[in-house]
Amino acid sequence: GQQLNQSPQSMFIQEGEDVSMNCTSSSIFNTWLWYKQDPGEGPVLLIALYKAGELTSNGRLTAQFGITRKDSFLNISASIPSDVGIYFCAGANDYKLSFGAGTTVTVRA
Amino acid sequence: EAQVTQNPRYLITVTGKKLTVTCSQNMNHEYMSWYRQDPGLGLRQIYYSMNVEVTDKGDVPEGYKVSRKEKRNFPLILESPSPNQTSLYFCASSFTMHTEAFFGQGTRLTVV
């Protein structure tokens, strides 16, 4: 299957910090999607990107579709406690939707 | 309310005993898929369906079957479950694979 390398695997945040995570792949994708999963729930879409170079914001979230179509990043600005959870990138081409392994965001004690 | 409904939410079964996890969506979506989620591996696609009677293998199809006889339903069948199929399973639906996927609540399956 197509491999998406998502990093970091986990991170600790302090309220107010900006955080970044990214996904890279050896495959080209037509669409990049970012999801968040809260404990005990299914993933929920945060941002969808459909065009190479596209930069899209959703509140405190900003994501970009890489020019090469092989990568994408997600930034969260001024993090708050409810930002904790698992963030997944997903890439879609003509036939499949593939997910990264996830970035687990935890609040730093 | 737009939703994807999976049943059951939790299931403990024994090796070799056939089981079916049901998935139903009420959004008239064409694309449906099944994923398994394991620690450190994220979501891996098992099977997907582009429309009624059109299904194809995802990345980890071994040991699973699916059917899409109606647009709204996409059951996942384990003919002879084994312990390595112990996992958290999610069904999802969307208009196409490029648009937002709505996920069910998940099914926690344990095979002993």
Side-chain angles (χ1 to χ4, degrees):
Chain A
Q2 294 158 69
Q3 294 283 332
L4 267 69
N5 300 306
Q6 186 170 350
S7 66
Q9 191 173 29
S10 62
M11 63 168 57
F12 292 89
I13 63 169
Q14 199 143 27
E15 192 169 352
E17 280 183 340
D18 295 346
V19 300
S20 292
M21 59 195 79
N22 67 79
C23 261
T24 60
S25 175
S26 56
S27 301
I28 288 174
F29 291 111
N30 298 327
T31 302
W32 281 96
L33 304 159
W34 284 93
Y35 286 85
K36 182 186 180 220
Q37 184 181 28
D38 291 324
E41 303 288 331
V44 173
L45 183 71
L46 298 174
I47 290 181
L49 302 156
Y50 297 107
K51 193 174 168 183
E54 180 182 353
L55 184 72
T56 296
S57 292
N58 178 9
R60 294 178 296 105
L61 307 175
T62 301
Q64 184 156 31
F65 192 143
I67 290 288
T68 64
R69 293 166 62 193
K70 294 181 178 181
D71 64 305
S72 176
F73 72 75
L74 175 71
N75 286 343
I76 307 172
S77 63
S79 54
I80 60 178
S82 61
D83 288 334
V84 302
I86 305 176
Y87 292 78
F88 291 102
C89 62
N93 61 18
D94 291 338
Y95 302 106
K96 280 191 189 174
L97 180 64
S98 301
F99 281 80
T103 295
T104 301
V105 175
T106 313
V107 174
R108 185 183 292 141
Chain B
E1 182 191 351
Q3 59 185 7
V4 177
T5 304
Q6 287 178 235
N7 278 298
R9 292 288 311 276
Y10 302 92
L11 180 59
I12 300 175
T13 190
V14 296
T15 298
K17 185 178 180 183
K18 180 179 178 179
L19 66 92
T20 299
V21 184
T22 64
C23 175
S24 181
Q25 51 98 359
N26 63 1
M27 294 167 278
N28 203 34
H29 286 163
E30 293 188 347
Y31 187 85
M32 296 186 74
S33 53
W34 275 101
Y35 299 87
R36 59 177 289 172
Q37 183 175 18
D38 301 289
L41 297 176
L43 291 157
R44 293 181 293 168
Q45 193 176 52
I46 302 170
Y47 268 94
Y48 64 94
S49 170
M50 307 278 273
N51 213 325
V52 175
E53 302 291 2
V54 181
T55 64
D56 207 348
K57 297 177 180 178
D59 294 320
V60 288
E62 292 76 24
Y64 305 95
K65 284 173 57 177
V66 293
S67 69
R68 188 90 181 274
K69 292 185 169 58
E70 316 161 90
K71 202 170 190 178
R72 63 183 294 126
N73 295 323
F74 190 46
L76 179 70
I77 303 153
L78 284 72
E79 295 269 4
S80 183
S82 61
N84 64 12
Q85 292 178 298
T86 292
S87 187
L88 178 60
Y89 291 86
F90 286 101
C91 176
S93 77
S94 56
F95 282 111
T96 72
M97 76 172 75
H98 298 276
T99 54
E100 177 179 6
F102 291 83
F103 283 80
Q105 293 274 69
T107 297
R108 173 81 59 190
L109 172 65
T110 302
V111 184
V112 298

